[in-house]
Amino acid sequence: MQEYQLEEYPGLNLYIALNKIREEQDSSLQFDFVCRAGICGSCAMVINGRPGLACKTLVSTLPKTITLNPLPVFKLVGDLSVDTGTWFREMAQRAGSWIHTDKEFDPEAVEERMSNEQALEIYELERCIECGCCVASCGTANMREDFMGAAGLNRIARFMIDPRDQRDGSDYFEVVGSDDGAFGCMGLMACDDICPKDLPLQSQLARVRRAMAKAAFAPKKKVAF
Amino acid sequence: MVETIITDVLVVGAGLAGERAAIEASSYGHDVIMLSLVPPRRSHSAAAQGGMQASFGNSAMGLGDNPDIHFADTVKGSDWGADQDRVRLFCDLAPVAARQMAHWGIPWNRVVAGKKKLPKDGSWIEDSKENEGLITARDFGGVAKWRCCYTSDGTGHTLLYTMDNVTVKLGIKMHDRIEAISLIHDNGTCYGVVARNLRNGEIRVYLARSTIIATGGAGRLYGMMSTNAVISEGMGQAICLDTGIVPLGNMEAVQFHPTGLAHVSILMTEGARGDGGYLLDKDMHRFMPEYEPKKAELASRDVVSRRMVEHMRKGLGIQESGDHFLWLDVRHLGKEHLETNLRDVTELARDFVGVDPVTELVPVRPTQHYTMGGIRTNIDGAADGLKGLYACGEAACWDMHGFNRLGGNSVAETVVAGMIVGRKVAEHLEGYEVSYPTHVIRDAVAKQEDRINRLVKCSDGKENCYEVSAVMSEILEKRVHIFRQGPDLEKAVSELQEVYARSLKIGLKSNGVGVDPELAQALKIPGLVRMALCVAYGALMRTESRGSHYREDYPSRDDKNWLKRTLAFWPQKADLPELKYGEIVITESQPGDRGYGESARKE
């Protein structure tokens, strides 16, 4: 553990603080920031024992001694930098994180209609920024390397509710119908509590589990939600 | 020999433009590798908020829209600085590109039938039953029709996630945490890049028959006073400029967004004004209608930013906590609207300045936002000067934006230009073979290894890379901003030349071993200062006002002498760019009155 001292001033957040440390005290210090606006998900780290986004954490909200650790579960790159990119790309491959359809795009055709309500529902789940806070705070993910985590289950839910995706219950069952998927969760729900974007992760777990239960009994039919 | 990776198409940068180009080239069966500084979904495209312009005309206020009106708005917005053949191609294809994104999964907001009261002026509009469920649009600056398609105010995020999903589906190889630090080229042909692996500091070579630069904008030349992500430094442009033969076009054309959040320079989308938000001064007076009777808050960004600064110069801004700003008022849009359609903006204001837009005023000021200039290309995206080198998106000066980009036209450009350039690259590769000259590759690697050794050993001096880049940014922020003047610009150029000399004497405090973020930064600085000089020197020489480039000593647009594009070259060993000028393609619309801004004021 390395220690640094820094003078606090109003408005100081961990993004500015860490950059000041790098520029003035330890030029080799590694951490990741990109948007510095809570949008890109790069700067998640464990802040006094709780995963969160460093860029939107004000120093004034923390005690005088601040302990920062890299997120667990993900492979360490160095200091506070972890490899979330590889983890999430593998998750996207496993989850089949794209619209599965046999329809070809027709550049001449008018777009398929969708209700605005449905669009907003998809958007709600599409808001995940892949910061990794839910995975880092997950009891199962810390013990089971292959667990998809709340972010993975949320991704599955996002495609389940999308009418453009033609996968049915049995297709999803193959992806998440195991202890590495929907049944691995121990129900601690730190993910739901900690998500910086306030995604409804608990209800998405329930949605995916309901769908898996239906699929288990009627594996050939399209599951309705 | 260092690790060498060979592919058909190398795409440097994995934001929207790079990914779209990669998908297109891959769909023709070419082997594609993408390089990215960060995991692709962290790219700055994700931060685009407001939307994508595409002339569907589905919403009540968009009825009758078509690519011709989009064309006219874009060319006016550019102050006739855009290449009109590109604008035409872009406007015709934008609706197709937006529909394709829908096919790939983006949850565009849709038309809801019924009557709605506009918060702006209390007037009523009615969306038809006939169009219900089609892609809807919101109002944006400088447009005749509501044309900005959106997903709440997270449009860039959903576009990027949707696009990246397609690259996963196609199995396109993604090498993240890799930084291209120089182009490999010889005798007019580009062969790929020398890159540094940001996981372990090792140097690698990527060889490709075609290389596409899609590294985004260079907003961070303005340091912290930019809405851009910290990775938007412009390294793609810098390594092209460094060749001495690839020019950067119109680097003096820098966009300042009217509503950067004060104190932290985070973007507050134009959608906030598009949806009916106002700007207020310290006396709670809505001042924009007096300056711009027709468009008010929704004139083009260059115009609104100028009027805001003008108003603040009259002493009517708010000065607080070391910043100078005006108020953005969106309270009348209501909690529900703010928490659904302007959700990010609402959260950003709450999280970063502790202001709740539902009940409070949001402090905003014009802030560097977009780089209209970039790697000069032809209509196919092929860069001037090197065969096999392409560019698209904000990194390029393809040039559909001229001297001012309209809001919503940047994400639209990324997906449209990405599609076109990816296709042109694929076509170019049919029957095109290259032999990789080993001595050229070896020399290119040796040159970078030598730079690294000299930085580590402090062979050229002990200048601190962070200090040098901070001074560069201060000069641009102070002297090459919204309002520009000859004497200031002269000073900026000479001061930046001093900074450039210092940048060549950088030495590391750290040991250069492994990842070493200081080394990564030090390697970039001379290239970034060269670009800063292109901005300042281009602005000094352009003795007219056009779009975002406003000279107080030359306040009029001068079509007789300046209807042309600046092309900045960096000759070997120079300490100033060499400026040449190129033609602007005019096909349909002769330079005229924009209908807002300074030209409208004179009437």
Side-chain angles (χ1 to χ4, degrees):
Chain A
M1 186 73 71
Q2 290 147 276
E3 285 188 19
Y4 307 96
Q5 290 206 343
L6 200 67
E7 192 161 338
E8 191 188 333
Y9 59 85
L12 181 69
N13 59 32
L14 289 179
Y15 158 63
I16 311 248
L18 282 166
N19 273 287
K20 276 178 89 76
I21 291 171
R22 177 147 85 193
E23 289 174 19
E24 293 163 13
Q25 300 184 38
D26 180 355
S27 56
S28 70
L29 186 63
Q30 290 177 59
F31 47 76
D32 295 318
F33 288 96
V34 177
C35 75
R36 56 84 174 96
I39 287 169
C40 77
S42 301
C43 64
M45 56 185 71
V46 182
I47 303 160
N48 282 351
R50 190 182 164 90
L53 298 181
C55 69
K56 59 183 217 182
T57 302
L58 282 169
V59 171
S60 61
T61 62
L62 300 169
K64 275 194 171 169
T65 303
I66 303 169
T67 306
L68 302 177
N69 291 101
L71 289 186
V73 182
F74 301 98
K75 193 177 166 210
L76 185 68
V77 176
D79 297 329
L80 295 169
S81 172
V82 294
D83 190 356
T84 47
T86 302
W87 193 98
F88 276 98
R89 201 156 187 89
E90 281 171 6
M91 182 276 275
Q93 282 159 353
R94 270 174 72 193
S97 173
W98 57 87
I99 299 283
H100 293 241
T101 178
D102 54 18
K103 285 184 192 163
E104 292 278 324
F105 173 64
D106 177 0
E108 307 291 324
V110 170
E111 64 273 21
E112 274 183 50
R113 285 172 202 255
M114 180 186 276
S115 74
N116 194 52
E117 207 178 329
Q118 186 144 45
L120 289 175
E121 231 180 288
I122 298 168
Y123 177 69
E124 175 68 11
L125 307 189
E126 184 85 339
R127 293 187 307 110
C128 169
I129 55 172
E130 300 193 350
C131 62
C133 287
C134 61
V135 176
S137 65
C138 171
T140 308
N142 273 279
M143 295 184 291
R144 282 186 91 97
E145 204 183 328
D146 291 330
F147 183 55
M148 291 180 87
L153 296 171
N154 176 70
R155 184 62 51 82
I156 293 288
R158 178 252 175 269
F159 286 99
M160 276 182 171
I161 62 170
D162 195 320
R164 294 167 292 196
D165 197 307
Q166 295 172 340
R167 278 178 286 185
D168 64 14
S170 62
D171 296 324
Y172 288 118
F173 195 89
E174 278 179 32
V175 182
V176 286
S178 72
D179 281 353
D180 290 336
F183 304 123
C185 170
M186 299 184 292
L188 302 176
M189 289 303 151
C191 53
D192 193 88
D193 187 35
I194 235 156
C195 175
K197 300 306 278 187
D198 292 322
L199 289 168
L201 296 173
Q202 185 164 8
S203 54
Q204 296 324 302
L205 171 74
R207 185 200 295 272
V208 174
R209 280 188 168 168
R210 274 199 311 276
M212 290 308 97
K214 279 190 191 173
F217 291 112
K220 292 292 169 208
K221 276 165 99 183
K222 172 98 183 167
V223 183
F225 302 97
Chain B
M1 191 70 187
V2 297
E3 184 182 2
T4 302
I5 296 162
I6 303 179
T7 183
D8 293 326
V9 181
L10 180 69
V11 183
V12 184
L16 279 171
E19 290 208 323
R20 185 64 190 85
I23 289 166
E24 194 68 17
S26 170
S27 73
Y28 281 76
H30 297 298
D31 191 22
V32 181
I33 294 179
M34 305 199 67
L35 307 186
S36 180
L37 286 175
V38 294
R41 294 177 190 216
R42 315 262 190 248
S43 303
H44 189 50
S45 301
Q49 295 171 353
M52 164 174 177
Q53 301 274 359
S55 57
F56 289 116
N58 292 332
S59 68
M61 296 297 281
L63 291 180
D65 198 11
N66 60 48
D68 295 341
I69 306 175
H70 191 183
F71 175 92
D73 286 345
T74 302
V75 172
K76 263 185 222 169
S78 80
D79 220 352
W80 281 270
D83 279 333
Q84 295 180 10
D85 53 349
R86 277 79 152 169
V87 180
R88 171 51 68 183
L89 191 59
F90 160 77
C91 294
D92 287 349
L93 283 173
V96 178
R99 281 181 178 137
Q100 187 170 43
M101 294 309 299
H103 179 75
W104 282 338
I106 188 172
W108 290 123
N109 279 50
R110 303 294 176 133
V111 174
V112 179
K115 285 190 174 177
K116 289 144 211 179
K117 192 176 181 183
L118 295 184
K120 205 174 339 193
D121 54 9
S123 60
W124 287 85
I125 57 169
E126 183 168 8
D127 274 301
S128 70
K129 199 78 193 156
E130 191 192 336
N131 284 349
E132 187 157 60
L134 296 176
I135 298 170
T136 192
R138 59 165 39 127
D139 200 4
F140 244 55
V143 296
K145 300 277 181 188
W146 290 23
R147 185 186 299 129
C148 204
C149 309
Y150 60 97
T151 56
S152 180
D153 58 352
T155 312
H157 171 91
T158 51
L159 279 167
L160 185 61
Y161 272 52
T162 302
M163 196 75 89
D164 195 53
N165 282 339
V166 179
T167 73
V168 173
K169 176 186 170 188
L170 296 175
I172 293 174
K173 295 183 202 88
M174 182 67 65
H175 294 194
D176 69 0
R177 293 181 185 263
I178 301 282
E179 179 155 50
I181 57 173
S182 83
L183 287 182
I184 302 171
H185 67 99
D186 184 45
N187 207 12
T189 302
C190 178
Y191 296 111
V193 303
V194 178
R196 186 165 173 270
N197 185 340
L198 302 179
R199 281 188 166 80
N200 55 23
E202 284 172 12
I203 296 293
R204 261 186 198 181
V205 164
Y206 286 91
L207 300 177
R209 288 194 286 152
S210 282
T211 301
I212 304 174
I213 305 290
T215 48
R220 282 279 153 170
L221 293 176
Y222 284 79
M224 308 273 278
M225 301 299 273
S226 166
T227 62
N228 285 191
V230 300
I231 55 169
S232 299
E233 294 181 301
M235 265 303 275
Q237 296 93 316
I239 61 176
C240 290
L241 182 66
D242 197 25
T243 62
I245 33 183
V246 178
L248 301 185
N250 283 349
M251 287 304 286
E252 66 270 33
V254 178
Q255 178 163 86
F256 295 83
H257 195 289
T259 55
L261 191 54
H263 312 298
V264 290
S265 300
I266 290 171
L267 174 68
M268 296 280 105
T269 178
E270 187 161 304
R273 283 169 287 131
D275 289 4
Y278 309 134
L279 293 169
L280 303 180
D281 64 17
K282 74 177 171 72
D283 303 321
M284 299 297 126
H285 174 62
R286 186 182 168 203
F287 58 92
M288 276 308 296
E290 285 154 27
Y291 293 105
E292 295 294 327
K294 285 184 198 154
K295 303 292 278 184
E297 281 88 354
L298 288 176
S300 60
R301 288 178 178 173
D302 57 328
V303 171
V304 178
S305 287
R306 277 200 290 281
R307 299 294 79 83
M308 288 171 74
V309 172
E310 189 178 337
H311 205 64
M312 289 195 281
R313 280 178 171 184
K314 291 177 186 164
L316 294 163
I318 300 95
Q319 296 204 35
E320 217 175 85
S321 312
D323 212 334
H324 195 183
F325 53 83
L326 291 156
W327 298 117
L328 173 66
D329 186 2
V330 289
R331 294 171 298 183
H332 52 291
L333 304 185
K335 190 172 191 307
E336 196 194 326
H337 185 91
L338 292 174
E339 289 180 353
T340 51
N341 281 15
L342 293 169
R343 185 170 180 160
D344 267 8
V345 156
T346 301
E347 283 178 14
L348 288 167
R350 285 173 184 163
D351 288 345
F352 286 89
V353 293
V355 165
D356 186 353
V358 175
T359 53
E360 294 172 286
L361 298 171
V362 182
V364 294
R365 54 152 157 81
T367 305
Q368 193 288 340
H369 182 61
Y370 189 82
T371 311
M372 269 81 72
I375 303 157
R376 177 61 184 158
T377 73
N378 69 9
I379 194 167
D380 298 339
D384 283 13
L386 282 178
K387 199 173 171 189
L389 179 67
Y390 291 76
C392 59
E394 192 175 346
C397 183
W398 184 43
D399 193 1
M400 56 163 276
H401 305 303
F403 278 77
N404 174 68
R405 170 177 74 76
L406 290 188
N409 262 356
S410 63
V411 281
E413 179 192 14
T414 62
V415 291
V416 173
M419 173 166 66
I420 294 166
V421 175
R423 193 170 301 169
K424 291 296 171 184
V425 165
E427 286 170 12
H428 162 76
L429 287 180
E430 293 301 319
Y432 172 75
E433 298 297 340
V434 291
S435 309
Y436 297 114
T438 48
H439 69 284
V440 171
I441 300 162
R442 202 165 42 236
D443 290 352
V445 171
K447 192 174 169 189
Q448 296 309 314
E449 284 176 339
D450 179 55
R451 284 184 70 205
I452 292 170
N453 284 332
R454 299 182 77 80
L455 286 167
V456 173
K457 290 181 189 152
C458 298
S459 310
D460 303 308
K462 283 191 171 179
E463 287 284 356
N464 177 304
C465 70
Y466 299 115
E467 277 173 33
V468 172
S469 83
V471 177
M472 170 190 79
S473 303
E474 274 165 34
I475 295 167
L476 287 182
E477 177 67 19
K478 191 171 160 196
R479 306 198 188 282
V480 197
H481 214 254
I482 293 172
F483 286 100
R484 303 169 173 184
Q485 294 195 19
D488 255 358
L489 293 169
E490 276 170 23
K491 265 190 212 146
V493 169
S494 66
E495 287 169 1
L496 284 169
Q497 284 178 300
E498 286 166 32
V499 175
Y500 183 57
R502 286 179 67 186
S503 78
L504 300 176
K505 293 178 187 160
I506 288 172
L508 299 188
K509 283 194 281 183
S510 49
N511 58 14
V513 173
V515 180
D516 196 352
E518 189 190 9
L519 174 58
Q521 202 56 25
L523 281 167
K524 293 178 224 190
I525 303 297
L528 303 189
V529 183
R530 280 178 214 131
M531 293 222 294
L533 270 160
C534 292
V535 176
Y537 193 51
L540 171 64
M541 299 313 282
R542 185 173 282 275
T543 49
E544 66 154 353
S545 291
R546 185 181 297 273
S548 67
H549 172 71
Y550 192 83
R551 287 282 300 257
E552 291 184 278
D553 43 356
Y554 296 93
S556 298
R557 197 176 76 201
D558 177 0
D559 291 325
K560 190 161 163 267
N561 296 303
W562 285 105
L563 189 59
K564 55 190 181 187
R565 177 173 298 102
T566 308
L567 298 171
F569 293 82
W570 198 277
Q572 302 298 319
K573 310 277 179 201
D575 70 345
L576 201 61
E578 183 187 342
L579 300 187
K580 296 179 182 172
Y581 292 91
E583 264 182 35
I584 290 170
V585 181
I586 292 177
T587 52
E588 301 176 45
S589 167
Q590 290 302 318
D593 177 9
R594 297 170 98 186
Y596 49 77
E598 285 75 5
S599 59
R601 255 172 146 187
K602 282 177 202 149
E603 283 167 12

